[in-house]
Amino acid sequence: MYDKAVSAWLECIAGEAHWSPLGNYTKYKNGLVYSNLIKAILLVTIPVLHYTIGINVWYVISMLFITALFTQFTYPIESTILPIIVGQDNIIEANSYLQTIREAMDIAFLALAGIIITFVGTIPAISITAICILLVSISYAFFNFDQPSVNKEKSSSIKADSRVYFLDLKAGFNYIKDSLIPKMIFSIIFINIAMVIMTTNLPAFSLMKSNGVEAAYGFYLASMSIGIMIGTIITPRLKQINFGKLIIVAFIGSGIMWMGTATLPLIPSTILFSAGAISIGILNLLIFSAIQKQVETAYIGRVVTLITSAPALGMPLGSLIGGFLGETFTPALAVMICSISMIIFSVYWLSSSVLRKLPKIDSVNLFKDKIEA
């Protein structure tokens, strides 16, 4: 039961919706320190109760879900303070290093987590996680950077706080509505739905490709992480290429390679699956770097919220379509549809003169370029 709860926790952490601009209402350093400290305390209660009075699985699920929510709270803060710490000229390189480390740690620690849970159990694994998060909180306490102004207005009710929150989100939308960002968000929503259609069927697809070997699912997940990591590593070397042409070529390549993933045997299928994921690492890094570089500090959290939460709205639709396709036809069809969607994504960028003609990322002006159909 605990294993299922931990799996649910990982799904929550993997979610794309974030809580900013809640982070705008606290000092960024305090938000990072105290949110991680709270997560550590919440996790510690699980082994403490387990070894004393006993614990219910629903309590475990609740605590893991709450800690996952706090993770979503800190992400926009991290995105906001990165330009402050590294400077505008180093954003792409800094994002590349951070994302590379994240992907590498995902690969290493997911494997390590499996080993720990197998040999020492789930509860000790949660205890180790709590200790690691506590160390993160202590590390953030030593951070030193200029703190942007914080919204210190106080309100008298939860209703008033909620109204202010949604007004802040609306202000973030108004800030970007005449920029290139909405066009990019539309593209990302489309790709996200296609990715969910595929990933919904990925467990069944991996079983089909491997003739029932469950470990194949892990191979596909690892190959995707490796592909994204490669994309983040090479992106700083590609930033001199025109952004529009780079994305068009990269996603056409991904579409073709994922067609091979759908049709070829297991080993070449996983290799092409990894190669196709490289474009995702490139797109994520360049778009977020451009936003961090050009959006005013006060609005970064709000824009990050919009650009990550909007695609998440398409996840239920993607899951529904993916489930229907996998049940009615074959899981390979879902992978093929995702590959075709990558090519359609490229055609959309190719058909838009604004997106097609985007210069190298350092020269892209998200807010002053004339937006044409």
Side-chain angles (χ1 to χ4, degrees):
M1 292 291 286
Y2 291 134
D3 293 341
K4 293 180 180 179
V6 173
S7 296
W9 183 34
L10 293 174
E11 291 294 330
C12 292
I13 291 176
E16 293 295 330
H18 301 297
W19 281 15
S20 185
L22 290 181
N24 292 340
Y25 307 139
T26 181
K27 289 185 177 181
Y28 294 145
K29 181 175 178 178
N30 290 346
L32 294 172
V33 171
Y34 293 124
S35 61
N36 281 286
L37 182 60
I38 292 171
K39 287 195 294 183
I41 293 173
L42 292 175
L43 290 179
V44 164
T45 63
I46 295 175
V48 169
L49 292 178
H50 174 76
Y51 291 120
T52 54
I53 63 175
I55 193 171
N56 185 279
V57 67
W58 290 108
Y59 177 83
V60 177
I61 293 174
S62 299
M63 290 299 99
L64 298 184
F65 177 73
I66 293 171
T67 58
L69 291 181
F70 274 101
T71 299
Q72 307 312 311
F73 170 77
T74 58
Y75 180 82
I77 296 178
E78 294 167 356
S79 298
T80 301
I81 66 173
L82 181 66
I84 301 172
I85 295 174
V86 304
Q88 297 292 329
D89 295 335
N90 302 307
I91 289 177
I92 294 179
E93 289 77 6
N95 275 325
S96 177
Y97 295 145
L98 285 175
Q99 191 61 31
T100 299
I101 292 171
R102 283 173 179 164
E103 294 297 333
M105 291 177 68
D106 278 348
I107 297 170
F109 286 115
L110 282 175
L112 181 61
I115 295 172
I116 292 175
I117 291 174
T118 299
F119 289 98
V120 302
T122 302
I123 296 300
I126 293 176
S127 302
I128 294 171
T129 302
I131 294 171
C132 291
I133 294 176
L134 178 61
L135 294 176
V136 169
S137 180
I138 295 172
S139 298
Y140 276 132
F142 290 98
F143 269 37
N144 187 22
F145 55 87
D146 294 332
Q147 169 69 43
S149 59
V150 177
N151 186 350
K152 295 183 178 180
E153 293 183 5
K154 302 294 183 181
S155 57
S156 57
S157 67
I158 294 177
K159 182 178 180 180
D161 287 335
S162 300
R163 182 174 179 273
V164 170
Y165 176 80
F166 286 107
L167 284 175
D168 274 356
L169 280 180
K170 183 179 179 180
F173 175 77
N174 290 333
Y175 180 78
I176 66 170
K177 67 179 182 179
D178 294 324
S179 72
L180 290 174
I181 297 175
K183 279 181 171 286
M184 294 180 177
I185 290 177
F186 175 78
S187 303
I188 295 172
I189 290 174
F190 177 75
I191 284 295
N192 197 58
I193 292 175
M195 290 289 294
V196 172
I197 290 174
M198 179 182 68
T199 54
T200 299
N201 288 275
L202 195 57
F205 175 77
S206 61
L207 288 174
M208 181 188 73
K209 285 291 183 181
S210 63
N211 295 320
V213 178
E214 295 182 355
Y217 178 52
F219 297 156
Y220 277 102
L221 291 180
S223 66
M224 173 172 279
S225 294
I226 292 171
I228 295 174
M229 183 174 66
I230 292 173
T232 60
I233 291 173
I234 66 175
T235 297
R237 299 180 181 275
L238 301 176
K239 66 179 183 179
Q240 300 302 321
I241 301 175
N242 286 357
F243 182 46
K245 293 178 181 177
L246 176 61
I247 295 303
I248 291 169
V249 172
F251 275 84
I252 286 179
S254 292
I256 293 172
M257 284 183 280
W258 280 1
M259 286 181 180
T261 296
T263 55
L264 295 176
L266 177 63
I267 294 178
S269 175
T270 53
I271 293 173
L272 290 176
F273 191 59
S274 180
I278 293 175
S279 62
I280 298 173
I282 295 172
L283 178 68
N284 288 343
L285 191 63
L286 290 179
I287 287 182
F288 275 95
S289 296
I291 289 172
Q292 289 172 319
K293 192 169 185 177
Q294 299 186 38
V295 173
E296 296 175 25
T297 300
Y299 285 92
I300 289 179
R302 306 177 201 187
V303 175
V304 168
T305 296
L306 290 171
I307 205 168
T308 54
S309 298
L313 297 177
M315 292 180 67
L317 176 62
S319 297
L320 181 64
I321 296 173
F324 171 78
L325 292 175
E327 184 70 23
T328 307
F329 301 102
T330 170
L333 178 62
V335 179
M336 183 63 72
I337 288 175
C338 184
S339 68
I340 295 172
S341 299
M342 294 288 182
I343 297 176
I344 294 174
F345 172 87
S346 295
V347 172
Y348 170 75
W349 275 59
L350 186 63
S351 64
S352 170
S353 61
V354 173
L355 297 177
R356 182 179 68 249
K357 296 177 181 178
L358 286 177
K360 62 182 182 179
I361 194 66
D362 287 336
S363 301
V364 170
N365 192 323
L366 295 176
F367 293 92
K368 291 185 180 179
D369 287 342
K370 183 180 179 182
I371 300 179
E372 302 172 353

